[in-house]
Amino acid sequence: MAGPVVSSDAAADSQAKISADIEEISRDYAASGAVETQPRIDYAPYRSSILRHPTKDLHHADPETIELWAPAFGQRDVHALESDLTIQGGGEPIGERMTVRGRVLDGDGRPVRHQLVEIWQANAAGRYIHKRDQHPAPIDPNFTGVGRCLTGADGSYSFTTIKPGPYPWKNHHNAWRPAHIHFSLFGTDFTQRMITQMYFPGDPLFDLDPIYQAIVDPQARERLVATYDHDTSAHEWSLGYVWDIVLTGSHRTPTEEDTDV
Amino acid sequence: MSEQLVPTPGQTIGPFYGYALPYEGGEHLVDRSDPRAVRLHGTVYDGHGEPIPDSMLEIWQADADGTVSQEPGSLLRDGYTFTGFGRVAVDNAGHYDFTTVNPGASEAGKAPFIAMTVFARGLLNRLFTRIYLPEDGEALARDPLLASLPEGRRETLIAEREPDGSLRFDLRLQGDGETVFLSYPNHRPGDPA
Ligand SMILES: [Fe+2]
């Protein structure tokens, strides 16, 4: 192996080949009658997953001590202004100003309160601030694409940002990622930790994208798509999207503080 | 008020988290000058035994006396408070380093471990694992998770103590010596990850 990323960056396959593979897996899933809610980790159309997924089944563990708790974050960690990605430079970033808001809930419907939410995204032209991003689209000097917030007592979060652009990548020839915002989430116990991506309604790239399609269940995929919400849009200012996030269930018996809304 | 909701699917961390998630001091749960400081390090490998250069790891652990911290301040450490949480991006050779303490047992007689979450480009959902300390053979032998693993796989969860006191813990995402990764009861049965 010449280098660790070469094999997946070769971009040898056509979209038609990748799409055919996606379709075949999708047909097999539909015929199986099973219901899956998470992505496959073994999903060959996403080329770099081939050598990076465990082949053995995940081993069942009953959570103990430390796993029944999550790290705590507070105002010391996150400044209130970090949830506004449009004020981090000397001027206004270019693009479509938007708000994305929603709630973080656990699998029992309880709000995840005062917990850390981190996001990162491309700018309006589809470019990240990252040395490995070689996409010849402009960097916006007024936009880092990075934000953080703490959820409120009702599990709510809100970010002001710029709508990210789609961008090319090297999974296959002419591969483009649908526009998305990366989200990193913590729950009330360690086992709920997750990282995911939020998408925008009606993206024409959905069917072509092996990362999105690695969630083989159509209904499960939909859970990553935000809803346009006109009440969240602000007059002569920004467009609004709503996206709620559900973590897996907590394993710790809820305390009064967890449940008392 | 409780209703069962279906969890939101995970997705890969992708390649471009570098400016967003790792932060200064993330890998130092304690200062290197702390007399209790222990180096926890290792390399993340793929199914061909090649190092993975774009992986991010998090650890979450009890203090040396077994206390689970609920103190904030992991993202902006004050140099005094043990928050129990650390995050590091591996380097170009797939290697990571944390500075931490040996976790104490949170319950008497239990084998202490560090909980770890693994993210990587190419990894479509996070993976969970445990890093056990190698010393307390009796507690390790009694540990329900280790006992449920076949010989040969068990060792993938036990760190190696190096002569200078460091803990060495390599991760193999696939293939020979594949690390044991965990699912928990509330990760719905049937979910592949
Ligand atoms: Fe991305």
Side-chain angles (χ1 to χ4, degrees), chain A residues 158-197:
Chain A
S158 177
F159 291 100
T160 303
T161 185
I162 296 293
K163 192 174 182 189
Y167 59 86
W169 62 309
K170 293 182 173 163
N171 190 67
H172 53 279
H173 185 70
N174 202 17
W176 289 80
R177 294 293 333 277
H180 59 273
I181 300 177
H182 298 264
F183 272 72
S184 163
L185 302 144
F186 292 80
T188 53
D189 82 36
F190 169 78
T191 69
Q192 296 169 288
R193 178 82 179 98
M194 68 116 67
I195 281 181
T196 189
Q197 303 181 21

Side-chain angles (χ1 to χ4, degrees), chain A residues 1-9 39-56 58 130 132 169 171 211 214, chain B residues 11-17 43-57 89-95 117-128 171-176 178-179 181 192-193:
Chain A
M1 300 252 97
V5 296
V6 168
S7 60
S8 55
D9 285 356
R40 299 264 175 99
I41 53 173
D42 177 5
Y43 193 74
Y46 178 27
R47 295 306 193 209
S48 44
S49 78
I50 294 173
L51 290 175
R52 295 186 173 192
H53 69 273
T55 53
K56 301 198 163 51
L58 300 180
H130 192 284
R132 277 200 56 204
W169 62 309
N171 190 67
I211 292 182
Chain B
Q11 290 268 265
T12 180
I13 192 172
F16 298 133
Y17 54 85
T43 299
V44 185
Y45 296 101
D46 72 10
H48 278 170
E50 294 289 332
I52 296 180
D54 37 20
S55 165
M56 190 185 84
L57 304 172
V90 300
D91 64 21
N92 288 334
H95 188 262
T117 318
V118 182
F119 305 93
R121 181 177 74 86
L123 180 60
L124 278 154
N125 213 349
R126 80 279 176 267
L127 296 170
F128 297 106
L171 288 133
R172 291 182 174 79
L173 298 196
Q174 191 184 87
D176 280 349
E178 185 174 302
T179 304
F181 296 104

